[in-house]
Amino acid sequence: MLSDIEIAQEAQLKHIREVAQTLDIIEDDLEYYGNNKAKLSNELWDKVKDRKDGKLVLVTAINPTPAGEGKTTTTVGLGQALGLLGKKSVIALREPSLGPCFGIKGGAAGGGNAQVVPMDDLNLHFTGDFHAITSANNLLAAILDNHIMRNNELNIDTNQVVWKRCLDMNDRVLRNTIVGLGRKTDGVVREDHFIITVASEIMAVLCLADDMDDLKYRLGEMVVAYTYDGSPVKAKELNAVGAMAALLKDALKPNLVQTLENTPAIIHGGPFANIAHGCNSVRATKMGLKLANIVITEAGFGADLGAEKFLDIKCRAANLKPDAIVLVATIRALKYNGGILKEDLSQENIDGLKKGIVNLEKHIENLEKYNVPILVTLNKFITDTDNEIEFVKEVCEAKGVEFSVCEVWEKGGQGGIELANKLIETLDHKESNFSPLYNLDLSIKEKIETISKEIYGAESITYDSSAIKSIQTIESLGYGSLPICMAKNQYSLSDDPSKLGRPTGFNINIREVYVSAGAGFVVAITGTVMTMPGLPKVPAAERIDVDESGKIIGLF
């Protein structure tokens, strides 16, 4: 079997003009980045905005193993299968971050015969959106520190600067830094911090903005520091909005590419779901709904993170209503959640599967709270046995949800026909009565506790003293009615990644709370989750190279 990148590099790509034509997009509305990538013009939205929306389908997953469970692969394969069935569909995904690409997971364009291409471009520089976001973030940081050095007319307390610099890389040594060392003209000495670009509020702002006016408004509302008397200082007070918007002008436009089977895919934005809100941009999703009859989108990591934030943050902010949810499971992740060691996951183990199936059951129960039809699909690996698959099927049928086996990694769209047919049946005959989990008029603590107890299954919630103080400040400033973006590890329903399966009786600890006023949510950081990840002992970067012909190898 060829590697993912070898399959992608052998793909027969159509000119992106031809892919666009399947969505009735004319060439004037494409801004080309070579033959295989294009941005969709701002004018296109004006042409299609009054059309009836298509159906919106969310793909999510159970809690994964460290290697991931093929949620993107399933999303891409499902889109390809719908194409084979003659459905006018489009895939809407996030752009990959360089952090995991060079870290542990590798690329994020799907896998096997269900990939978005050009895979190497997508996983590396693509159309430069992440570079633009990084530049805008760090421009604001530079303007902020320049203001502090040059008389500090806004009376900013250097101990209360909350805006952090960013880098789209896993670089743990930058988590905590000292800036301003050297001469007086080198700035004011203070402690500073770096986060990964996908955790930047500018990433969230870009992904939630409707248009340039909304983007500029949200950029201006971002809180960057506090004064000595505790008043918030916003980006607009530093006169930084116009320059940031100029850097983000093209990044605001969604990107059009294709799958291995030439299905159109809109790829835009990329906030992580464990430390940010985990969804592709509102503009991309809304554009897809006007261009196609079915839009397949995904939310990062397990349903406790990505799906919860998609449903409680993105859908609420953008007035979206999902019509169905596809919950991806794998035999190996279920056994992993049953306590089976990673090196033993390829061996049949019904007992381990029975112990881990509780994780799937909990995610089904959680998603049912949103009143949207649910389908479970098993992303099949070659090591899965018939006995194991039959057991999972019986559990799903007992829970009253549709079940199908998905083989898109091996067979491409053809391997997703069963899932696609069941999805079409669901969209045609089952009604979605979507409603968010909580009301916004609850207090910040009440919203945190609702998510922690209802979605994670926590028994209690504790708060560090600094988090309590931050909540009081945030509510006193009028931000208490915003939704909550929980920052939590992706491997467990709890805030402890070692508690697998369906833990009970545990406590969730909130160690930090801050407002992302431009994005429009309050972030609550749990456990030891980091907003700047680190590289593993053997990073994926060590396997990546360029051969003598200029072809990238080792990217998977």
Side-chain angles (χ1 to χ4, degrees):
M1 181 72 182
L2 298 175
S3 68
D4 287 353
I5 192 167
E6 289 171 334
I7 293 171
Q9 289 171 340
E10 291 186 3
Q12 298 299 309
L13 301 186
K14 290 183 177 180
H15 194 287
I16 198 63
R17 178 197 320 109
E18 297 178 61
V19 178
Q21 287 171 353
T22 67
L23 297 174
D24 302 318
I25 300 171
I26 62 173
E27 193 164 7
D28 286 349
D29 290 318
L30 298 175
E31 298 175 8
Y32 292 121
Y33 283 66
N35 293 333
N36 307 127
K37 299 171 290 184
K39 281 191 171 289
L40 301 177
S41 72
N42 293 324
E43 292 73 22
L44 176 60
W45 175 252
D46 293 329
K47 296 176 182 178
V48 302
K49 64 183 180 181
D50 294 325
R51 293 180 184 174
K52 182 181 177 181
D53 283 349
K55 300 284 189 178
L56 179 59
V57 179
L58 172 66
V59 178
T60 184
I62 64 172
N63 290 102
T65 69
E69 304 318 306
K71 180 165 40 29
T72 304
T73 301
T74 302
T75 303
V76 174
L78 175 56
Q80 292 178 161
L82 289 168
L84 292 176
L85 293 173
K87 298 296 182 180
K88 189 178 183 182
S89 62
V90 67
I91 301 160
L93 298 172
R94 295 174 296 162
E95 299 175 49
S97 163
L98 293 178
C101 182
F102 293 132
I104 189 170
K105 286 186 68 178
N113 290 300
Q115 296 187 58
V116 178
V117 284
M119 181 263 219
D120 42 6
D121 285 3
L122 180 63
N123 279 298
L124 298 177
H125 301 290
F126 198 31
T127 57
D129 293 346
F130 280 25
H131 298 305
I133 291 165
T134 302
S135 298
N137 183 102
N138 294 339
L139 171 64
L140 179 56
I143 291 173
L144 172 61
D145 276 309
N146 185 61
H147 177 91
I148 292 171
M149 187 197 77
R150 297 183 183 279
N151 299 323
N152 194 9
E153 293 178 2
L154 292 174
N155 207 27
I156 293 169
D157 181 355
T158 56
N159 291 315
Q160 294 192 77
V161 173
V162 295
W163 190 255
K164 299 176 175 66
R165 287 167 164 80
C166 75
L167 184 72
D168 191 35
M169 197 65 63
N170 291 0
D171 196 349
R172 59 168 53 84
V173 301
L174 292 178
R175 288 172 184 161
N176 305 292
T177 64
I178 301 295
V179 297
L181 295 174
R183 298 171 298 174
K184 185 177 180 179
T185 54
D186 294 326
V188 175
V189 177
R190 67 176 182 87
E191 182 179 355
D192 200 3
H193 311 271
F194 272 78
I195 56 177
I196 192 166
T197 297
V198 288
S200 168
E201 185 175 355
I202 293 182
M203 175 66 80
V205 162
L206 183 93
C207 288
L208 292 169
D210 281 325
D211 50 32
M212 178 55 76
D213 288 341
D214 190 29
L215 175 69
K216 289 165 71 171
Y217 171 77
R218 289 174 178 271
L219 291 172
E221 289 299 304
M222 296 187 305
V223 175
V224 298
Y226 292 88
T227 63
Y228 284 102
D229 65 4
S231 300
V233 177
K234 299 179 180 180
K236 62 185 178 184
E237 296 176 74
L238 293 166
N239 300 316
V241 172
M244 286 191 291
L247 286 170
L248 298 169
K249 175 180 69 72
D250 291 325
L252 185 61
K253 301 171 185 175
N255 307 292
L256 181 68
V257 286
Q258 62 191 291
T259 72
L260 292 173
E261 298 178 13
N262 312 120
T263 308
I266 301 175
I267 313 292
H268 196 217
F272 277 179
N274 56 346
I275 52 181
H277 75 284
C279 312
N280 69 302
S281 76
V282 165
R283 281 171 65 90
T285 303
K286 285 187 171 181
M287 184 73 81
L289 288 169
K290 299 299 183 182
L291 295 172
N293 296 327
I294 302 174
V295 174
I296 312 294
T297 191
E298 71 165 21
F301 293 122
D304 55 318
L305 288 168
E308 186 274 316
K309 294 170 185 179
F310 177 88
L311 298 165
D312 287 317
I313 296 176
K314 178 177 176 176
C315 286
R316 192 180 335 234
N319 195 28
L320 296 171
K321 183 182 78 81
D323 295 284
I325 298 174
V326 176
L327 178 60
V328 179
T330 63
I331 296 293
R332 70 175 189 174
L334 291 169
K335 289 190 288 192
Y336 181 77
N337 273 282
I340 305 303
L341 297 175
K342 284 184 285 186
E343 56 266 27
D344 297 328
L345 294 177
S346 60
Q347 301 172 17
E348 181 175 276
N349 192 322
I350 298 297
D351 288 339
L353 193 57
K354 288 180 178 177
K355 291 177 182 177
I357 200 74
V358 294
N359 187 264
L360 173 60
E361 292 175 325
K362 173 61 174 167
H363 284 295
I364 291 171
E365 293 166 18
N366 285 348
L367 293 173
E368 287 175 337
K369 295 174 183 179
Y370 293 93
N371 301 311
V372 179
I374 304 164
L375 302 88
V376 171
T377 189
L378 192 70
N379 182 28
K380 187 179 179 183
F381 284 67
I382 57 175
T383 54
D384 298 347
T385 69
D386 291 342
N387 289 335
E388 290 173 326
I389 294 172
E390 185 61 28
F391 173 75
V392 177
K393 179 181 179 182
E394 290 173 358
V395 169
C396 291
E397 290 176 346
K399 298 286 286 185
V401 296
E402 291 284 354
F403 173 84
S404 64
V405 175
C406 191
E407 299 180 84
V408 296
W409 181 87
E410 178 185 359
K411 301 177 181 178
Q414 196 62 45
I417 294 294
E418 179 186 1
L419 171 59
N421 278 323
K422 290 194 174 184
L423 175 62
I424 293 167
E425 182 78 9
T426 296
L427 294 174
D428 287 345
H429 297 101
K430 292 185 180 180
E431 185 175 357
S432 171
N433 295 299
F434 167 68
S435 61
L437 181 69
Y438 54 82
N439 294 321
L440 292 179
D441 56 6
L442 296 175
S443 69
I444 290 175
K445 276 191 173 183
E446 287 173 325
K447 285 178 279 198
I448 289 173
E449 290 169 14
T450 298
I451 296 169
S452 298
K453 291 182 177 180
E454 292 290 322
I455 301 299
Y456 308 155
E459 182 175 293
S460 59
I461 296 88
T462 55
Y463 300 83
D464 287 359
S465 58
S466 59
I468 293 174
K469 184 178 179 181
S470 295
I471 290 172
Q472 292 170 344
T473 299
I474 291 167
E475 291 184 330
S476 71
L477 293 172
Y479 297 120
S481 62
L482 296 178
I484 304 298
C485 181
M486 298 287 281
K488 181 182 74 70
N489 84 88
Q490 62 267 35
Y491 302 120
S492 171
L493 287 161
S494 75
D495 58 1
D496 179 351
S498 68
K499 288 183 167 63
L500 302 177
R502 183 176 185 167
T504 58
F506 63 90
N507 176 73
I508 288 281
N509 182 65
I510 309 297
R511 65 177 174 86
E512 183 181 351
V513 179
Y514 60 88
V515 63
S516 291
F521 51 67
V522 172
V523 179
I525 298 182
T526 72
T528 58
V529 67
M530 295 290 181
T531 52
M532 169 57 85
L535 291 171
K537 185 176 180 179
V538 182
E542 294 185 11
R543 297 184 291 272
I544 297 172
D545 202 350
V546 182
D547 68 17
E548 59 187 15
S549 68
K551 182 181 292 186
I552 294 171
I553 56 176
L555 183 63
F556 63 94

